[in-house]
Amino acid sequence: METIQYTSTNPVLKANKNRTTENTIHQSLPVLGLSCASCAASVQSMLASQPGVNKVAVNYANAMATIDYDPWIIRQDALQEAIRSIGYDLVLETDEEAAAVVEKAELNQYKKLKSGATFSLLFSLPLMALSMWGMQLPYADIFMLMLATPVVFIFGRRFFISAFRQLRHGKAGMDTLVALSTGVAYFYSVAVMLLPTFWAKKGLPGHLYFESAAVVIAFILLGKLLEMRAKGRTAADIKKLMGAQPATATVLVNDQPQIIAVRDIQVGDQLLVKPGEAIAVDGAILSGRPLINESMVTGEAIPSQKESGDSVYAGTINENTAFTMRADKVGRNTVMASIIRLVREAQGSKAPIEQLVDKIAARFVAGVLCIALLTFFIWWAFGGPAELSRGIIAVVTVLVIACPCALGLATPAALMVGIGRGATMGILIKDAAHLQKLAGVTDIVLDKTGTLTLGKPVVQEGLWLDDDRDINAGYPKSAARLLAAIERSSQHPLAEAITSYAISVYGKDYSKNNDIDFDHNANAASYINSVFLPGLGVEATLGNDVYYVGNARLMAEKNIVVNAGSEKDVSPEKPVDFLTPMRHDLTAITSFLQAHTTHTIVYFAQKSAKDNRGTLLSVMALADILKPDALLTLQRLGHQGIGLHMLTGDNEAAAALVASQTGINRYLAGQLPADKLAYIKTLQTQGKSVAMIGDGINDSAALAQADISIAMSKGSHVAMDVAGMTIVGDQLSKIADGILLSRLTGKTIRENLFWAFFYNLIGIPIAAGILYPFTGFMLNPMIAGAAMALSSICVLAASLRLRYRKLK
């Protein structure tokens, strides 16, 4: 396949000769045919050697190659050809097509492995019986040859083909070890069988090892079969995410439903989602009030009540009633697709600790070959011709037992399970490096608004200034209805909170239309005219009366007294009316204001045109409140040994209130972005590993400086791209879960690496025969093959425990 190169005869390429890394394409592509960590290392080194490839990482556990390359220098198909030349393949199709190709390839591979393992065992069992009890039978050696040959060269041919292809490029892997070990055992046995007199004249033993060659291949195939099943389980979480996306959807065309493939949905299409169906794309609800189970995106199992205009996401489930929606994001642009893409890249990334393992694995096979040769010469030198047979069997055993599969799986298998489990919980960890850093966090710096608190104020308490004569008339319910009507259409930043509070006072939403049902004067007004007063509040006209909702400055400008009572007498003969000015209760107002010094105070007043005197109707205290899970989360983080700090731009009183509610004793108020940045730098100079949780806007500098940035997101693509850890949804408790998950993943990686190194450290010397001079024990190649397969399965099983560990 032709590769584009820079040449002096190509003016376009020549002009672009000094292209920078901004032209590099970053892509993750599936690799087919990987059978061990050294295979992944071979593919990685082959890709890295190609012109135009700037960076590459091949992950054995999920069989993905993450490549940064310049398309002006090398094309994808050239990369594919390079990989095919050493016996593997690179899948170039798009996401959906690639998934289908990989699934088909894995299914075919599984079937071949199953068939090969089954027939190998069927041939190997009688072969073992002959070698142990039937060697004296006539033609036993011929029967053994007939049984071993198909196992080695038919069911085991994959090892020899792969080893040959790698050898052509000066590379070696697990297949090289298997091919050498079984080939040596097989051909030595053939030589002994065909030339018995030659060996006898030399005084050399004439043992046959057909059963070793066959059984080793049978056990390795069986081990690979079990390993493939276990590896499939490590990817179960991402498969679960992918399975949440439906294949078809119902589109409304001229109000008529039509079922089409999800890939054919266009932005702006109207969709009908029936009860029990998965939502196909991201969009907004047009009609209906469904309960949506968003656990596949946020990890929260409790369904969320949605209204018209609310956003919904692909992969979530409609629990109860049909609704229509507009498609806003389709295909690769949906939140679910972004999550799957992010998780795939994270699972394919490598932690810093894995880089050391990769270096060891890349040189491991060459080291094993040297050890095998050294083993043979030691046996020959010290045992002479009489020990040649044992030397050969020691070589075979060393080559078999030393496969670096367990070592190669130790880190990526745990990462796949840990990152995958986090994704299903709504915890997205950007890559393996961030996962390792996250486990080592010692201090967390939190923003206040929107992180610890809900980020929007609510009315925590209200004082209604009425007299006894109006209580029986329905006041303050009538005033609350009017307040809700005024605030519903207001542009005031606190309007939503005041509207919700007013509705809760009178118990029913009478403000959905302009014909407000006042208790005593239903026809007093057919409309309300409202004017937003920036920095002050709202002025609303109803008939001949004016109402004000705002701060103390607005009240002062309108001559409405908020700290003294009105002395206007209301004559008993005059009908009690809602619009009649009420007496102020100075004591009640003073007590209310003193009790809410850290709150935002909003006044609701009326000014009658009859006497131009203002009357205060209500005083409300608003404040941002803690998220429901904030306190428990902070307690859990404290129990994990993490230091907690709060930095906020709010005033000292507001910061002190939240600090007292949460138990955070290290906090600073009135912090500018530069101040937050300096604070984090100070912690880092003290040797702390700092995580920053903020909104990503005014905290951007601090987030960039922190060792780990954590974003609270409801599906933001930007947050998922930038943050080291993203909480999909708004559950603060997942921060503690994510840190604990990363620590458990790191612990599993360390345990896996220890046992993988320990296995090879102990297994190789025993296989070489170090115990023979003292105990007469020689490890059988068949047992070595079983041990090698078992070591990989044990590593995978240990990693899979992460899916079930409790995060407490």
Side-chain angles (χ1 to χ4, degrees):
M1 191 64 64
E2 181 186 358
T3 302
I4 299 177
Q5 301 286 349
Y6 294 131
T7 64
S8 58
T9 58
N10 190 328
V12 176
L13 294 181
K14 185 177 181 181
N16 288 276
K17 188 172 184 177
N18 297 318
R19 295 174 68 85
T20 62
T21 54
E22 68 182 17
N23 304 300
T24 299
I25 291 178
H26 176 82
Q27 200 164 16
S28 293
L29 300 170
V31 181
L32 303 180
L34 295 181
S35 58
C36 68
S38 55
C39 299
S42 296
V43 172
Q44 182 168 309
S45 63
M46 177 58 76
L47 288 171
S49 67
Q50 302 304 306
V53 175
N54 301 322
K55 184 179 178 182
V56 60
V58 179
N59 189 304
Y60 169 47
N62 67 350
M64 295 291 289
T66 303
I67 313 169
D68 292 351
Y69 67 97
D70 191 334
W72 280 76
I73 302 177
I74 189 168
R75 298 196 300 260
Q76 280 188 348
D77 49 7
L79 295 172
Q80 186 183 54
E81 287 299 320
I83 298 308
R84 285 177 174 175
S85 70
I86 57 172
Y88 307 99
D89 201 358
L90 202 62
V91 179
L92 304 181
E93 283 77 3
T94 57
D95 286 353
E96 292 183 4
E97 295 173 339
V101 170
V102 171
E103 185 177 359
K104 183 179 180 180
E106 288 179 346
L107 182 60
N108 290 336
Q109 185 182 3
Y110 181 81
K111 289 180 178 179
K112 289 179 180 179
L113 274 175
K114 187 175 181 180
S115 174
T118 302
F119 284 105
S120 294
L121 287 171
L122 288 176
F123 280 79
S124 297
L125 290 175
L127 186 57
M128 288 176 62
L130 278 173
S131 67
M132 289 188 290
W133 303 296
M135 289 300 294
Q136 304 305 320
L137 295 175
Y139 307 108
D141 52 352
I142 294 177
F143 281 115
M144 293 177 70
L145 176 64
M146 293 173 61
L147 289 170
T149 300
V151 175
V152 174
F153 295 110
I154 296 179
F155 309 124
R157 69 181 181 277
R158 52 182 285 173
F159 302 114
F160 294 91
I161 293 172
S162 178
F164 176 72
R165 286 176 174 171
Q166 292 182 49
L167 181 63
R168 287 169 52 198
H169 295 273
K171 302 183 183 301
M174 171 203 161
D175 294 340
T176 306
L177 298 180
V178 175
L180 276 175
S181 60
T182 56
V184 167
Y186 178 86
F187 287 109
Y188 173 75
S189 301
V190 170
V192 168
M193 188 182 76
L194 296 179
L195 304 170
T197 56
F198 170 81
W199 299 95
K201 288 179 181 179
K202 297 290 185 181
L204 300 175
H207 297 298
L208 301 178
Y209 294 107
F210 287 121
E211 82 287 352
S212 295
V215 173
V216 163
I217 286 179
F219 277 178
I220 290 176
L221 290 176
L222 179 61
K224 285 296 171 187
L225 182 68
L226 297 175
E227 180 185 313
M228 190 173 182
R229 293 184 64 179
K231 282 176 66 178
R233 293 179 63 191
T234 65
D237 292 316
I238 195 168
K239 288 180 179 177
K240 181 180 178 183
L241 291 173
M242 294 174 65
Q245 302 176 103
T248 61
T250 304
V251 177
L252 296 177
V253 180
N254 298 325
D255 294 330
Q256 298 299 315
Q258 294 183 7
I259 297 178
I260 65 171
V262 169
R263 62 176 177 272
D264 295 329
I265 297 175
Q266 302 295 320
V267 173
D269 283 351
Q270 291 190 17
L271 310 179
L272 172 66
V273 184
K274 301 175 183 177
E277 288 185 346
I279 298 172
V281 295
D282 293 358
I285 294 178
L286 297 176
S287 64
R289 299 183 69 251
L291 279 173
I292 304 297
N293 184 337
E294 296 181 322
S295 60
M296 292 304 296
V297 173
T298 66
E300 176 56 52
I302 300 175
S304 176
Q305 181 70 63
K306 299 292 185 178
E307 306 281 347
S308 178
D310 287 347
S311 297
V312 289
Y313 304 107
T316 57
I317 308 297
N318 178 19
E319 293 280 355
N320 64 337
T321 184
F323 68 93
T324 60
M325 62 173 286
R326 180 187 66 248
D328 292 336
K329 294 179 180 179
V330 301
R332 291 172 53 88
N333 297 321
T334 65
V335 169
M336 179 64 75
S338 298
I339 291 175
I340 292 172
R341 189 161 55 249
L342 184 103
V343 173
R344 272 181 173 162
E345 291 181 359
Q347 289 181 332
S349 64
K350 296 191 175 184
I353 192 174
E354 195 175 357
Q355 296 173 3
L356 174 62
V357 176
D358 283 347
K359 291 179 181 179
I360 295 173
R363 295 165 175 80
F364 194 84
V365 173
V368 170
L369 292 174
C370 292
I371 292 173
L373 287 174
L374 181 62
T375 298
F376 178 77
F377 286 118
I378 289 175
W379 277 95
W380 179 275
F382 290 96
E387 297 295 345
L388 178 63
S389 180
R390 285 194 176 93
I392 289 175
I393 205 66
V395 168
V396 171
T397 308
V398 167
L399 293 173
V400 170
I401 203 168
C403 176
C405 290
L407 187 62
L409 282 171
T411 301
L415 288 174
M416 283 188 66
V417 177
I419 292 173
R421 182 183 178 188
T424 61
M425 297 168 59
I427 303 169
L428 302 181
I429 299 172
K430 187 174 184 179
D431 53 37
H434 282 86
L435 180 71
Q436 186 170 329
K437 288 182 183 179
L438 188 62
V441 164
T442 60
D443 290 74
I444 292 181
V445 177
L446 303 102
D447 182 38
K448 178 180 74 70
T449 305
T451 301
L452 287 172
T453 64
L454 291 176
K456 56 181 182 179
V458 297
V459 178
Q460 296 192 327
E461 191 174 353
L463 175 66
W464 294 91
L465 303 167
D466 54 45
D467 64 7
D468 293 340
R469 289 171 295 177
D470 253 5
I471 292 177
N472 295 329
Y475 189 88
K477 286 190 175 183
S478 298
R481 293 176 194 168
L482 179 59
L483 177 61
I486 293 172
E487 288 295 292
R488 178 172 292 277
S489 58
S490 170
Q491 301 176 29
H492 194 281
L494 304 177
E496 182 180 350
I498 295 173
T499 302
S500 298
Y501 168 68
I503 290 173
S504 70
V505 171
Y506 65 75
K508 185 179 179 182
D509 190 355
Y510 284 91
S511 59
K512 289 183 178 178
N513 53 61
N514 290 329
D515 190 12
I516 302 172
D517 182 16
F518 297 107
D519 286 345
H520 296 287
N521 192 0
N523 298 320
S526 59
Y527 64 90
I528 296 175
N529 289 327
S530 298
V531 178
F532 177 59
L533 307 174
L536 299 174
V538 176
E539 176 182 289
T541 303
L542 175 63
N544 295 323
D545 298 296
V546 182
Y547 296 86
Y548 300 99
V549 184
N551 54 25
R553 181 182 167 189
L554 175 62
M555 299 298 109
E557 288 188 5
K558 301 303 178 182
N559 297 319
I560 299 172
V561 181
V562 297
N563 58 2
S566 170
E567 300 300 326
K568 178 177 177 64
D569 293 327
V570 179
S571 109
E573 294 78 20
K574 185 176 180 180
V576 178
D577 191 277
F578 166 66
L579 302 179
T580 302
M582 303 299 169
R583 293 198 305 272
H584 290 180
D585 186 334
L586 179 60
T587 302
I589 295 175
T590 302
S591 299
F592 185 86
L593 295 176
Q594 289 176 348
H596 299 88
T597 56
T598 62
H599 292 65
T600 299
I601 302 299
V602 174
Y603 301 91
F604 176 36
Q606 171 218 0
K607 198 170 185 180
S608 173
K610 297 178 181 178
D611 52 17
N612 200 33
R613 297 190 61 182
T615 301
L616 195 61
L617 303 178
S618 178
V619 185
M620 291 159 283
L622 292 87
D624 200 357
I625 63 174
L626 289 177
K627 291 180 178 178
D629 57 350
L631 189 57
L632 179 61
T633 298
L634 296 177
Q635 290 174 348
R636 288 182 60 196
L637 291 172
H639 292 156
Q640 292 179 18
I642 295 175
L644 301 173
H645 313 255
M646 183 181 75
L647 304 180
T648 178
D650 281 356
N651 58 59
E652 176 66 27
L657 176 64
V658 172
S660 65
Q661 291 173 338
T662 59
I664 297 177
N665 51 23
R666 286 167 288 191
Y667 72 92
L668 292 174
Q671 294 291 289
L672 298 174
D675 299 325
K676 296 180 180 181
L677 175 64
Y679 188 88
I680 289 178
K681 285 183 176 179
T682 301
L683 290 177
Q684 290 172 329
T685 58
Q686 298 171 2
K688 307 288 189 180
S689 177
V690 184
M692 172 70 188
I693 309 173
D695 58 18
I697 302 172
N698 63 322
D699 298 321
S700 57
L703 287 166
Q705 177 64 35
D707 298 289
I708 290 287
S709 56
I710 302 177
M712 303 294 292
S713 169
K714 290 187 176 180
S716 167
H717 290 255
V718 175
M720 286 188 282
D721 288 340
V722 174
M725 172 177 164
T726 301
I727 304 302
V728 183
D730 204 30
Q731 300 173 61
L732 203 61
S733 61
K734 291 180 184 177
I735 294 174
D737 290 341
I739 293 175
L740 186 54
L741 178 63
S742 70
R743 290 182 176 180
L744 288 175
T745 304
K747 181 181 178 182
T748 301
I749 290 172
R750 291 190 295 272
E751 291 175 350
N752 285 350
L753 287 173
F754 170 80
W755 288 113
F757 278 111
F758 182 78
Y759 158 79
N760 283 292
L761 186 65
I762 299 299
I764 292 176
I766 293 175
I770 196 171
L771 297 179
Y772 182 76
F774 310 103
T775 65
F777 174 78
M778 286 289 294
L779 186 63
N780 191 296
M782 296 181 289
I783 297 176
M788 184 272 290
L790 186 62
S791 65
S792 299
I793 295 169
C794 288
V795 165
L796 289 168
S799 301
L800 285 169
R801 289 185 305 163
L802 282 169
R803 296 185 66 194
Y804 311 105
R805 296 284 294 272
K806 292 183 179 179
L807 302 179
K808 291 185 179 180

